[in-house]
Amino acid sequence: MDVIGKSVPRKESPDKVTGRAKYTGDSMETGLLHARMAASPYAHARIVKVDTSHAWGIQGVRAIITGDFCDVLTGEEIRDRPILAKDKVRYFGETVAVVVADSEVSAKRAADAIHIQYDPLPVVNSPAAAIEKNAPLVHENMMSYEKAIGVASIPGTNIPSLIKIRKGDMEQGWRECGTIIENTVSFAPSDHSAMETRSALAEISPDGRIHIETSSQAPFAVKKYMGLYFNIEQGRIRVKTPLVGGGYGGKAAIQLELIAYLASKAVGGRKVKIVNTREEDMVTSPAHIGLEARVKLGCTDEGKIRAAEIVYLFDGGAYCDKSSDVARAAAADCTGPYAIEHLHCDCYTVYTNHPYATAYRGYGHAELTFAMERALDVLAEKAGLDPLELRLRNAVVPGNTSPTRNVLTASNLGNLQACIGRLRILAEWDDWKIKTIDSHKIRAKGISCCWKNSSMDPNASSGAVISFNADASVNVESGVVEIGTGTKTVLAQMVAERMKMAPEHVHVRIRVNTMITPEHWKTVASRGTFMAGRAVLEAADDAIAQLLRIAACVLRTDPEELELGYGKIYVKADPSIHIKVKDICYGYTYPSGNSIGGQIIGRGSYMQSRMTYLDPHTGEGRPGPEWNVAAQAVEVELDTREYRYKILKAISVIDAGKVLNPKGAEGQVMGAMSMGLGFAGRESFLFDGQGVVLNASLRDYTLIRYGEHPDYVVEFVETPCVEAPFGARALGEHGLIGMPAALASALSRAAGVRLNELPLIPELIWRLKAGMPHDSD
Amino acid sequence: MEDREGCQVIVNLRVNDEIRSAVARPADTLLDVLREKLGLTGAKPGCKNGDCGACTVLVDGWPQKSCLVLAVEAVGQWITTIEGLKDTPIQRAFIEQWAFQCGYCTPGFIMNSHGLIQHHPNANDETIKDWLSSNICRCTGYREIKDAVTSVLKEK
Ligand code: FES
Ligand code: FES
C-alpha cells in the first residue's frame, strides 16, 4: 500500500493556519438581519405574559416572535419540543422569544427589553426525582406526541422511553455466582463546548425555497426534518455547511436552524443570522446526557461473571431530542465488552427540568462504561481478583453473543484480549498499582475496557461522486462534514490508493451543499470512514471501469486486459502498451477529430445492510455492523492533604482494524482522551435547587487547558473488519469512552474510597474521606 | 427610547501593516470590528468573555484577546491578525505537527505562540505553559500544540 497508512496532511491545513478557513459565523453581508433570543431564567414555569412593547421601541427591530408564531413540535424519536417555548418553559435557558433586527446590538437590546412574566412550577431536578410517585410532570401530554418505531413511553410518568434487554435466566445466573455486588453511579448533564458556538443563517426565496447555512454535523438531516416539520418538499430546502469548529455530537441536533427559519419567515424571508453566545451554546442548545445507574454483578469462584442486572436512568432533560436513542445505544451494549450470559437491563430515559440532551462523543458508551467498570472494580475487590485479570477472564471473544444476541466474530468485534495484553505492558500494570511518593503524595493507576457498536438509523446511507479534471486529477464530493476529524483527507487517501495516484492529485470539496453533494446521513458515530469510505471506493471503481472502457477502445483490447495506475492505463501483459489517463479522462480524440467518451464521473453509494430495530421486550436485533474494542488506563498523583491531583498518564490501546492515517488517528484518540478526562474530572453543570445552571460560561465551566494534559500513550491493534474499507474500524470516540471509569478507578485506589460520581473534584474525595453523607450513599 | 445606536465614530486602525478605517460604535470590540467591518474573520469569537483565547491577535507584538479590547483603544497601535502572518515557522509547524483538528482555536493559538516565540526565544516548559494556558483547544489533547511550539523554539 502506498497511501493508506501514511500520515497524509489534512487537505484544509493551509486554510486553517492562515485564517482563510471559513466557518458559518464568518458569513457577513450587507443587509443581513440578526436574531437574538430571550431565554427563560426558570427551569420550570408557566409563561403568564410576554410584553414586547418596550422591545419594539428599540431602533432597528424588524420582528419579535414567541411560541405563538409556530405550533410545530419537533424531535427525531419523539416530537415533543416546540421551537420557542409555548405556555410553559421546561428548562433554564429555553428560548421564549426571538428578536430580529438590523444589527446584533439592536436585537440584543430588544431581547433584553422583553418583559416576560412567569409563574414558577415545581422542578424535577434529577432522574431519581423524575420517577418518584407524584413527581410533577414535565410533559403533561406525553402520550399524544408522535413517536418513532420502538419508542415505549410509560403513561402518566416522566418516562418517555424504556428499553429492555433480556438474555438467559437470571435465577440460574445468580445461583452460579459465589460473589455478588451492587454499585450505583451518577453524574449530571454537561456540555460539548465546541470552540465554535453553533450558528445558522436562513433565507426564504419568493417561491418558498428555503436556504439554510449552518454549523451542523447533519445538514442532510436538517433538510429532511425541516421538510417534515414544516411540510415542505425536501427538494425545496437547501442546506449548506462549511467547515465546522468542533461538534462532538452536539451539532448533530437540529435547533438553531429552526429558529433562524422562523426568524426569516417573520421578516418576509429576508436573510437572518443567529449565532449562539457561549452561554446559550451551553444551556439553550442541547447538552450532554446525565445518568444515574445501578449495577448488580455476580461471578463464580473462578471469576467468571455469570449474571448482571442493570438499571440505567438517563437524564434526557426537558425534551427527548436524541436521548432515548442514546439510551438505546447504551442498552444495546449495556454490559461493556464482557460475555455475560444472564442479563437483565432496564434502560430508562427520563424527562427532567434540565437542559435537554443530544448526542455526545461516545453516544451513551462513556456513560454505561462508567457504571459497569465501577461495578467491576467492586466485584474484583470483593472476589479478591486483580481488576485486570477479572476483565481479561470475562473479555468478549468471537463466538460470544452481544446483549442484542448477535454472534460476535473476529471481524465484527476486534481483539480485546490483545488490547488488554498490550495495556498490561504499557501501563506496567504488574509492577505496581499504587505507590507512595512522599509523605503526602500517592500515585495510583486505574483501568477500563470498552466497546462501542456505532449504530445509526438502519437505513442511513452515504453517497460519493468522483469527477475528473482534464489534468487527470480528480475531485471527490462526499456529504461528510469536516468537523475536525480529517475524514475528507482519509477519503482522498482511499481514492488515491484505489486509483493508484498521488494524494495531492485528489481534491476534496470541504463544503457541503445538500443540493449538489451526495447525501451522507449524519457526520456522527465515527461512520465517516466506513460509510463514506465504501461509497467513495465504489465511485472510484465506477470511474476506473469507465476509463478502462475507453482505453480498451483506443488500445483495441478488452477492458479486462487493462489496468490503471500512475497516470496511465496499460495492458497488464505488456505495460509498454498504454495510454495516459489525461488523454482519455475528458474523452479521447482520434487524429481525425472523431471523439469518444466524455468527462469521467464515477458514482458510488453505500447503505448499511441487514440492520434492524431492537425488539422492545428483549432487545434482540442488529443495531450496527461492528463492535470495536479498547483497553485504557490512567495514572494519577494524589495530594493526600488537599485531595488535588494530577493526571500523569493516559493510555489507550484500541483495535483500529487498520490505521489509515497514523497522525490523524493518534490525534483523534488523544483529543478524545482529553475530552473524557475533562468530562470525568471537572465538567458538569452545577444546578441549584431550582434547576438553574450556575456555571454556564467557560470561566466557571472549566475545560482542560494547555499544560494540564497528561502524557498520552496511544497504541493500535489491527484486527481487520471485513466489511470496512481497508479493514478500518471506528476509533474517534473510543479514546473518550473508558477515561471517566479509569480516572475514577485510579483516584479511588489512591484515596482509598469508592468514587462513583462525576465530576471527580477534590471536594468529592474529601467528602468521602471525611465520611460525609453523600447522594450515592 | 434614546438611540445609542446612532453614535458612531471613525476608527483608523493599523492592521497587518495597512491603515484601515471603519465606522464603529465606541463600545465595539476590536474583535467585532476586525471581523465585521474589516472582513478579517481569522480571529474567532469563542466566548467574547476573555476565557478561550480564540480571538487572540497581536497588539504592538503582544498577544491580546481582541474581545477584551475596544476598537477605539487600539487606535495608534500595530495590530497583527492571523491574516498578517505569511508562511511563518509556527504556521508551518502547526501543519507539520498536526496541531489542530477543527481549526477553530488555531488562529488564536498561532498568534499567541508567535508572540511567545518573538518575546521568549528560549522559553522553557513553564513559560510556554504560562502563555498558552490562556487558550482552549477542545479537539486536540494539546500534545501536538506543544510539539509545534517547541519545534520552532528549538530551531531558533
Ligand atoms: S472570544 Fe475572546 S477570549 Fe474567547
Ligand atoms: S482544533 Fe478544534 S478547538 Fe482546537
Side-chain angles (χ1 to χ4, degrees), chain A residues 617-632:
Chain A
H617 305 293
T618 63
E620 188 171 352
R622 191 158 183 261
E626 93 279 19
W627 288 258
N628 299 317
V629 293
Q632 298 174 291

Side-chain angles (χ1 to χ4, degrees), chain A residues 123-195:
Chain A
V123 169
V124 179
N125 210 1
S126 71
I131 57 165
E132 268 169 23
K133 267 213 173 68
N134 305 321
L137 291 182
V138 179
H139 291 263
E140 292 84 355
N141 302 320
M142 181 174 74
M143 296 316 283
S144 70
Y145 295 146
E146 237 175 82
K147 296 186 182 79
I149 298 170
V151 178
S153 309
I154 302 178
T157 69
N158 285 316
I159 303 168
S161 154
L162 166 60
I163 298 149
K164 297 177 184 166
I165 305 282
R166 304 284 185 265
K167 230 176 92 175
D169 173 351
M170 292 315 292
E171 269 180 42
Q172 187 197 327
W174 295 127
R175 265 200 308 273
E176 294 172 20
C177 296
T179 311
I180 295 173
I181 60 96
E182 208 175 297
N183 194 55
T184 59
V185 301
S186 69
F187 49 87
S190 53
D191 189 46
H192 304 82
S193 295
M195 283 300 103

Side-chain angles (χ1 to χ4, degrees), chain A residues 279-605:
Chain A
E279 294 71 20
E280 288 162 348
D281 208 57
M282 295 183 86
V283 291
T284 300
S285 288
H288 169 208
I289 210 160
L291 175 71
E292 290 175 8
R294 192 176 69 239
V295 177
K296 185 176 165 191
L297 283 181
C299 68
T300 63
D301 297 339
E302 291 73 44
K304 273 286 192 192
I305 304 172
R306 298 300 295 155
E309 192 181 296
I310 305 168
V311 181
Y312 291 130
L313 275 182
F314 278 101
D315 185 348
Y319 299 102
C320 215
D321 200 82
K322 291 313 282 184
S323 55
S324 67
D325 200 55
V326 168
R328 178 198 53 77
D333 291 345
C334 62
T335 53
Y338 307 105
I340 306 178
E341 210 168 295
H342 307 289
L343 173 64
H344 184 283
C345 171
D346 286 334
C347 185
Y348 297 87
T349 306
V350 298
Y351 283 133
T352 63
N353 292 117
H354 287 165
Y356 69 100
T358 189
Y360 174 85
R361 202 172 194 174
Y363 212 65
H365 288 71
E367 297 76 5
L368 82 88
T369 302
F370 184 65
M372 275 305 292
E373 295 288 317
R374 294 308 298 132
L376 277 168
D377 270 11
V378 177
L379 184 67
E381 196 182 312
K382 189 156 179 209
L385 282 164
D386 178 280
L388 189 141
E389 198 50 48
L390 177 69
R391 285 162 173 88
L392 197 54
R393 280 184 204 176
N394 292 284
V396 275
V397 291
N400 290 146
T401 59
S402 69
T404 48
R405 307 188 193 188
N406 304 112
V407 177
L408 300 167
T409 65
S411 168
N412 75 16
L413 179 64
N415 190 339
L416 179 60
Q417 281 157 318
C419 293
I420 298 177
R422 277 306 294 163
L423 185 80
R424 179 173 224 152
I425 295 163
L426 293 170
E428 298 167 357
W429 183 258
D430 295 328
D431 298 351
W432 63 274
K433 291 163 200 51
I434 177 164
K435 71 179 171 199
T436 305
I437 301 300
D438 60 31
S439 59
H440 57 271
K441 282 209 178 69
I442 293 181
R443 285 191 190 174
K445 299 172 201 163
I447 53 163
S448 168
C449 296
C450 69
W451 68 352
K452 179 175 188 281
N453 190 323
S454 288
S455 53
M456 289 248 264
D457 290 25
N459 60 355
S461 75
S462 186
V465 172
I466 295 177
S467 59
F468 265 92
N469 299 305
D471 62 0
S473 66
V474 297
N475 309 309
V476 177
E477 181 90 44
S478 149
V480 170
V481 178
E482 188 43 74
I483 54 175
T485 51
T487 307
K488 288 225 156 133
T489 303
V490 170
L491 295 179
Q493 286 179 264
M494 290 184 186
V495 170
E497 181 79 33
R498 180 62 61 102
M499 301 183 80
K500 297 206 187 90
M501 59 195 288
E504 303 82 68
H505 296 154
V506 181
H507 309 291
V508 293
R509 218 170 84 98
I510 297 288
R511 282 170 177 267
V512 169
N513 176 341
T514 59
M515 227 174 137
I516 48 179
T517 317
E519 170 147 337
H520 179 77
W521 170 227
K522 289 181 180 179
T523 305
V524 296
S526 308
R527 290 288 78 176
T529 44
F530 191 121
M531 295 191 38
R534 285 286 297 257
V536 150
L537 289 178
E538 190 179 284
D541 289 342
D542 185 26
I544 294 169
Q546 294 175 40
L547 283 173
L548 297 191
R549 264 202 309 278
I550 300 174
C553 206
V554 179
L555 299 175
R556 307 212 174 107
T557 178
D558 281 335
E560 294 82 65
E561 306 300 331
L562 298 172
E563 198 159 301
L564 164 73
Y566 317 100
K568 292 177 192 147
I569 289 160
Y570 51 88
V571 175
K572 286 185 228 172
D574 181 2
S576 68
I577 305 168
H578 66 263
I579 185 164
K580 289 190 177 131
V581 172
K582 76 175 167 50
D583 293 336
I584 57 169
C585 64
Y586 257 50
Y588 177 76
T589 303
Y590 288 93
S592 69
N594 288 172
S595 301
I596 56 167
Q599 185 190 11
I600 305 290
I601 303 173
R603 57 153 295 283
S605 71

Side-chain angles (χ1 to χ4, degrees), chain A residues 40-52:
Chain A
S40 166
Y42 293 100
H44 200 193
R46 207 155 290 292
I47 302 169
V48 180
K49 198 167 153 230
V50 182
D51 176 3
T52 58

Side-chain angles (χ1 to χ4, degrees), chain A residues 7-10 13 16-19 21-23 25-26 28 57-59 103 105-106 109 191-193 195-196 244-246 248 278 483-484 661 663-664 666-668 670-671 674-675 683 698-699 703-707 709 712, chain B residues 1-5 25 35-36 41-42 44-52 82-83 91 94-98 100-107 109-110 128-129 132-146:
Chain A
S7 296
V8 173
R10 292 168 174 282
S13 285
K16 283 183 172 170
V17 299
T18 54
K22 291 278 185 262
Y23 302 79
D26 296 334
M28 323 258 171
I58 307 255
Q59 192 190 326
S103 71
V105 175
S106 301
R109 282 169 64 202
D191 189 46
H192 304 82
S193 295
M195 283 300 103
E196 177 206 28
V244 170
Y248 326 111
R278 175 55 61 186
I483 54 175
N661 184 316
K663 276 293 216 178
E666 195 192 28
Q668 281 294 299
M670 290 192 290
S674 175
M675 203 164 179
E683 292 178 36
L698 293 182
R699 189 152 308 176
L703 304 172
I704 290 185
R705 285 175 186 268
Y706 182 96
H709 58 284
Y712 299 102
Chain B
M1 183 164 279
E2 128 214 52
D3 179 18
R4 280 174 291 177
E5 273 286 87
R25 298 176 317 134
R35 290 174 52 81
E36 288 161 26
T41 55
K44 298 285 184 245
C47 66
K48 295 195 169 182
N49 193 43
D51 299 328
C52 74
I82 185 81
E83 290 91 343
Q91 286 167 298
F94 262 65
I95 295 181
E96 280 156 18
Q97 303 297 331
W98 290 69
F100 51 86
Q101 291 177 24
C102 79
Y104 197 81
C105 69
T106 313
F109 262 105
I110 289 183
I128 301 175
K129 183 181 162 179
L132 296 194
S133 59
S134 65
N135 295 49
I136 299 174
C137 175
R138 185 61 154 165
C139 293
T140 73
Y142 296 107
R143 187 172 90 192
E144 304 96 322
I145 296 177
K146 184 177 184 171

Side-chain angles (χ1 to χ4, degrees), chain B residues 13-89:
Chain B
L13 295 172
R14 280 191 216 162
V15 188
N16 302 333
D17 293 330
E18 294 171 357
I19 304 284
R20 304 282 308 267
S21 32
V23 176
R25 298 176 317 134
D28 280 337
T29 61
L30 178 59
L31 174 65
D32 286 343
V33 170
L34 287 173
R35 290 174 52 81
E36 288 161 26
K37 304 285 162 73
L38 305 183
L40 296 169
T41 55
K44 298 285 184 245
C47 66
K48 295 195 169 182
N49 193 43
D51 299 328
C52 74
C55 63
T56 305
V57 299
L58 298 183
V59 178
D60 285 343
W62 291 89
Q64 294 263 317
K65 289 171 174 166
S66 62
C67 70
L68 296 182
V69 180
L70 294 177
V72 291
E73 287 180 284
V75 172
Q77 290 170 300
W78 294 97
I79 299 158
T80 312
T81 69
I82 185 81
E83 290 91 343
L85 296 194
K86 298 271 173 332
D87 201 26
T88 57

Side-chain angles (χ1 to χ4, degrees), chain B residues 110-131:
Chain B
I110 289 183
M111 295 318 290
N112 197 357
S113 307
H114 189 68
L116 166 72
I117 292 159
Q118 304 299 316
H119 290 282
H120 298 280
N122 300 311
N124 59 17
D125 281 359
E126 212 36 48
T127 310
I128 301 175
K129 183 181 162 179
D130 239 28
W131 279 59

